[in-house]
Amino acid sequence: VMVSPAVCGLSAFDCLYGRQKQLDVELEYAPLNPEEASRVTIHILSNIPFYQGNKIFLQLYAFKCDLSDIVFTGPDASRFVRGAGQWDVSTSILTLEVAPEQ
């Protein structure tokens, strides 16, 4: 994922049963140079319970990525279907779907 932290505006929301609720989302980039590919760490904090099949939509403006599936690493990767999120370059939205039995 290529990002520009200097120009990245972040809007994050989830849709549960048609309702939108605000999440606390924190992004970390390494390296910080906007001209280089970066490792992005996404921290999602919520007091909303998530159930299998629920989706979280992260609108990440100024991100550049040629992949449609973004594979996650880390201890919580298995909480999402296929351990990945789906990237839609036309809308700049990363969709995370909660895995079964999570």
Side-chain angles (χ1 to χ4, degrees), residues 4-5 14 20 24 29 39-40 56 59 72 75 77 81-82 87:
S4 176
D14 74 286
Q20 293 184 0
D24 290 324
Y29 310 91
R39 174 180 284 280
V40 178
I56 301 169
Q59 188 153 36
F72 302 134
V81 172
R82 295 184 314 281
W87 175 248

Side-chain angles (χ1 to χ4, degrees), residues 21-59:
K21 296 186 186 248
Q22 195 68 30
L23 298 174
D24 290 324
V25 177
E26 180 182 312
L27 301 178
E28 294 178 17
Y29 310 91
L32 289 176
N33 184 347
E35 301 301 321
E36 296 180 44
S38 296
R39 174 180 284 280
V40 178
T41 302
I42 302 173
H43 299 277
I44 300 173
L45 303 173
S46 176
N47 58 4
I48 304 166
F50 291 102
Y51 302 99
Q52 63 186 24
N54 286 158
K55 293 182 179 179
I56 301 169
F57 301 92
L58 300 175
Q59 188 153 36

